[in-house]
Amino acid sequence: MAGKRKLSERPGGGSGDVQWCFSQVKGAMDDDVAEADIISTVEFNHTGELLATGDKGGRVVIFQQEPESKNQPQCRGEYNVYSTFQSHEPEFDYLKSLEIEEKINKIRWLPQKNAAQFLLSTNDKTIKLWKISERDKRPEGYNLKEEDGRYRDPNTVTTLRVPVLRPMDLMVEASPRRVFANAHTYHINSISVNSDHETYLSADDLRINLWHLEITDRSFNIVDIKPANMEELTEVITAAEFHPDQCNTFVYSSSKGTIRLCDMRASALCDQHAKLFEEPEDPNNRSFFSEIISSISDVKFSHSGRYMMTRDYLSVKIWDLNMETRPVETYQVHEYLRSKLCSLYENDCIFDKFECCWNGNDSVVMTGSYNNFFRMFDRDYRQDVTFEASRENSKPRSVLKPRKISTGGKRKKDEISVDSLDFNKKILHTAWHPLDNIIAVATTNNLYIFQDKIN
Amino acid sequence: MEVNMEARRILAVSISKLYASRSQRGGLRLHRSLLLSLVMKSARDIYHSSREEDAPSGAQSAPEEPMETSSGPEVPEPQPLSERNSSETVSEESDNKAKDYDCDTVDDKENLSPTKQSRKRRGKASAAPDFLPNKRARLEPGEERYSAPLGSCRVGAGESLATLSLNQVIPAF
């Protein structure tokens, strides 16, 4: 069964240990990208068998990993489309004269409890719980109906027969089971399912709400940082996540580069943080844009729950939950951009929100960059590597070659100069299979799947 | 002087971004507006403090052409952010990009620290530049002034952030 493979001992991206190979690419091949096809979120489910993507057009596409073939037991199954559905539609808020984008900001899977799969998907204002279920049998032999559904003439019914279930071609149905709406004034940036599997949080720029999965007509506000006077607004919430094991604990990050850990046992409204994680700013790096680049775009707990990782514009930081004063590890993603901040401000790239992710055993972290580059940092062996997701490197099972960016004056062969980087090709969303060395990397409108080479 | 020019350029870019975000699908983004306002605040303060240095020496020409003033007093150490409740005194000519200014080659101008010393702002520099009309509404007796700065998100009915803030930011386009 797919997903049962044990994580190899050194799953990291360090050179010489793991070789990453191209596996598949999903999405249109043309260079002319339709805006609706831009991928906006990527998420594996808890077993890694399913991989969901959301796009700007409000659609969710779920891929399922094929079971390992008996002929080639060492070869992992491919991911093929399992279900596609329109999760959100554009809406109009007539009161504020605002259009509400249908873009899917986040998808989070619920742990599986029965045959069906459940996921939460959210746009800027509304969260929806979707049930994805399989149907592979259908009843046949109705007494009063023909096979096509038309009712039979009662005069022709002469015998009594009971319908039986017969196999049919697999059909995957997605149906919205809950709609959690009208709870957010500002734009939702995060959702996170609690380890109690009953509640989840949703966060917008100024507030975090706690929901019960069964109850849609009310939610509890647990964080509110809106100042009484909006003139005094100095920071906004940028991401939030529940602790993987402790159902009372969650964190939220801010545009000022701080992370607050809150304990819901302390009080109903968690405006007072239990811990505040903040690293003092390096005065040498102060510039017009210091505030923008210190804004945290993503925060993720490690699977162990001991650490959390934050992503700001130029770096990834690992924090030990027991130490608030500074991160235990800092990795520079693309430090060569520090001198380009002015240009990146002008072309809006400085506002890009990169995400980050952990591998299954928390030994490697990954995040995206520009020019369709993505970076892996091996925490144990202190190695980092840069790869590129491109059609040119997409021969089946071809090994990915590490990329190098030349920052000095002299450019070596095979190195790419900073000036030739394509800032329109950005990798904002990446995901790592929870149990295996399989990664999903989203370029603008394509989803690349890479896996480690099996010898 | 170069700092001044850089600050003005960043201010111009920021204003045009703020203006463009009015027509963005999904409405104004609070986070983005806040970040823009922080950059504008830094740039504006540096611009004003540079002008403050210019004024005593009398090198101030017509405000529309400061970019063409090539000579002037040396720009002092970058000035700190001052405490302000409203940012309606931002001035701008966003289309005045006559100077082909390559920020990447400017030596360390981006890394100027705006918060090295604290300094109280006095006199003319704190007033709106004289080429800008005073847009403050006349108050009725008993009414309190309550102006919204750039970056605030007032979600009252029918009111958008852009309308409010752009009334206070006077673009020259």
Side-chain angles (χ1 to χ4, degrees), chain A residues 294-314:
Chain A
S294 64
S295 177
I296 291 173
S297 51
D298 195 16
V299 64
K300 291 265 172 47
F301 277 105
S302 63
H303 292 92
S304 64
R306 164 114 191 249
Y307 299 97
M308 65 178 174
M309 163 167 56
T310 57
R311 176 71 155 96
D312 51 65
Y313 190 64
L314 296 179

Side-chain angles (χ1 to χ4, degrees), chain B:
Chain B
M1 210 52 198
E2 285 183 9
V3 176
N4 188 15
M5 284 158 60
E6 177 64 6
R8 289 182 60 88
R9 200 170 91 86
I10 289 176
L11 217 39
V13 169
S14 305
I15 296 276
S16 62
K17 284 188 190 300
L18 200 60
Y19 190 72
S21 59
R22 291 181 77 183
S23 46
Q24 237 175 16
R25 274 192 84 211
L28 278 160
R29 305 258 153 196
L30 185 62
H31 185 197
R32 184 184 164 94
S33 304
L34 179 67
L35 295 178
L36 284 175
S37 71
L38 291 172
V39 171
M40 290 172 69
K41 210 173 172 209
S42 300
R44 185 200 66 208
D45 290 339
I46 291 185
Y47 165 71
H48 276 306
S49 62
S50 308
R51 284 194 66 217
E52 203 177 70
E53 292 300 317
D54 286 351
S57 74
Q60 184 75 27
S61 54
E64 278 85 353
E65 302 145 16
M67 295 264 264
E68 289 152 45
T69 307
S70 52
S71 65
E74 198 65 58
V75 178
E77 267 308 300
Q79 298 310 312
L81 299 171
S82 65
E83 290 303 303
R84 280 188 184 227
N85 280 334
S86 65
S87 50
E88 67 268 16
T89 55
V90 172
S91 65
E92 211 30 67
E93 296 97 27
S94 65
D95 54 351
N96 188 354
K97 289 183 180 169
K99 294 288 177 190
D100 188 11
Y101 202 72
D102 181 8
C103 356
D104 295 336
T105 61
V106 171
D107 188 29
D108 217 30
K109 287 297 181 288
E110 286 190 26
N111 291 321
L112 295 168
S113 166
T115 53
K116 274 209 178 126
Q117 338 142 12
S118 72
R119 201 173 126 145
K120 260 197 161 171
R121 199 163 301 287
R122 289 182 184 79
K124 276 195 186 172
S126 58
D130 40 17
F131 62 90
L132 296 173
N134 188 347
K135 281 249 175 167
R136 283 172 172 261
R138 192 170 50 86
L139 288 178
E140 301 306 319
E143 221 179 52
E144 255 196 309
R145 185 180 297 283
Y146 187 83
S147 55
L150 254 28
S152 74
C153 185
R154 197 182 296 274
V155 285
E159 207 159 74
S160 70
L161 163 66
T163 324
L164 215 51
S165 58
L166 281 174
N167 282 341
Q168 291 147 352
V169 169
I170 299 94
F173 48 77

Side-chain angles (χ1 to χ4, degrees), chain A residues 81-266:
Chain A
V81 177
Y82 179 66
S83 174
T84 304
F85 56 93
Q86 187 74 32
S87 171
H88 287 71
E89 299 273 6
E91 287 174 54
F92 199 80
D93 181 338
Y94 296 98
L95 188 65
K96 297 170 196 165
S97 295
L98 287 178
E99 192 179 3
I100 300 168
E101 273 193 286
E102 67 276 30
K103 173 168 78 89
I104 308 296
N105 293 335
K106 285 279 156 37
I107 288 173
R108 289 289 181 262
W109 289 93
L110 266 56
Q112 193 175 11
K113 281 187 192 169
N114 52 38
Q117 300 279 356
F118 289 86
L119 60 78
L120 287 169
S121 69
T122 185
N123 69 351
D124 284 337
K125 297 288 182 181
T126 304
I127 307 129
K128 293 187 184 180
L129 176 69
W130 287 89
K131 176 180 178 183
I132 297 105
S133 49
E134 293 183 1
R135 188 194 293 270
D136 61 357
K137 298 181 195 40
R138 71 159 171 252
E140 284 179 17
Y142 279 98
N143 209 42
L144 299 174
K145 282 196 286 191
E146 303 285 2
E147 292 306 323
D148 60 8
R150 283 178 305 140
Y151 279 94
R152 292 167 71 188
D153 179 353
N155 298 324
T156 63
V157 178
T158 53
T159 58
L160 181 69
R161 59 180 183 171
V162 176
V164 291
L165 291 173
R166 294 207 191 282
M168 59 177 261
D169 289 341
L170 178 67
M171 196 164 77
V172 180
E173 298 171 321
S175 58
R177 306 302 288 177
R178 305 271 186 278
V179 177
F180 305 92
N182 301 319
H184 286 279
T185 308
Y186 302 97
H187 296 107
I188 297 173
N189 52 56
S190 311
I191 48 175
S192 178
V193 183
N194 202 348
S195 52
D196 65 9
H197 302 169
E198 286 187 352
T199 57
Y200 75 95
L201 63 76
S202 59
D204 67 29
D205 293 313
L206 297 179
R207 297 189 178 102
I208 301 179
N209 293 332
L210 180 71
W211 302 84
H212 192 284
L213 285 164
E214 300 291 330
I215 300 169
T216 58
D217 62 356
R218 72 198 104 116
S219 68
F220 289 100
N221 176 242
I222 52 177
V223 172
D224 188 341
I225 64 168
K226 184 177 179 185
N229 183 356
M230 279 297 271
E231 289 179 36
E232 292 158 8
L233 180 73
T234 55
E235 65 182 325
V236 298
I237 297 168
T238 52
E241 191 175 63
F242 265 120
H243 191 277
D245 309 313
Q246 297 167 19
C247 57
N248 54 286
T249 304
F250 66 93
V251 292
Y252 68 93
S253 59
S254 84
S255 55
K256 272 190 168 173
T258 63
I259 310 101
R260 286 172 176 80
L261 183 141
C262 301
D263 186 336
M264 294 196 291
R265 297 170 301 187

Side-chain angles (χ1 to χ4, degrees), chain A residues 269-315:
Chain A
L269 191 60
C270 297
D271 281 0
Q272 300 296 317
H273 53 262
K275 294 195 183 197
L276 174 66
F277 298 84
E278 187 173 17
E279 183 175 30
E281 191 190 355
D282 181 356
N284 297 326
N285 283 335
R286 193 93 177 81
S287 76
F288 280 116
F289 309 106
S290 298
E291 277 129 339
I292 300 189
I293 63 169
S294 64
S295 177
I296 291 173
S297 51
D298 195 16
V299 64
K300 291 265 172 47
F301 277 105
S302 63
H303 292 92
S304 64
R306 164 114 191 249
Y307 299 97
M308 65 178 174
M309 163 167 56
T310 57
R311 176 71 155 96
D312 51 65
Y313 190 64
L314 296 179
S315 67

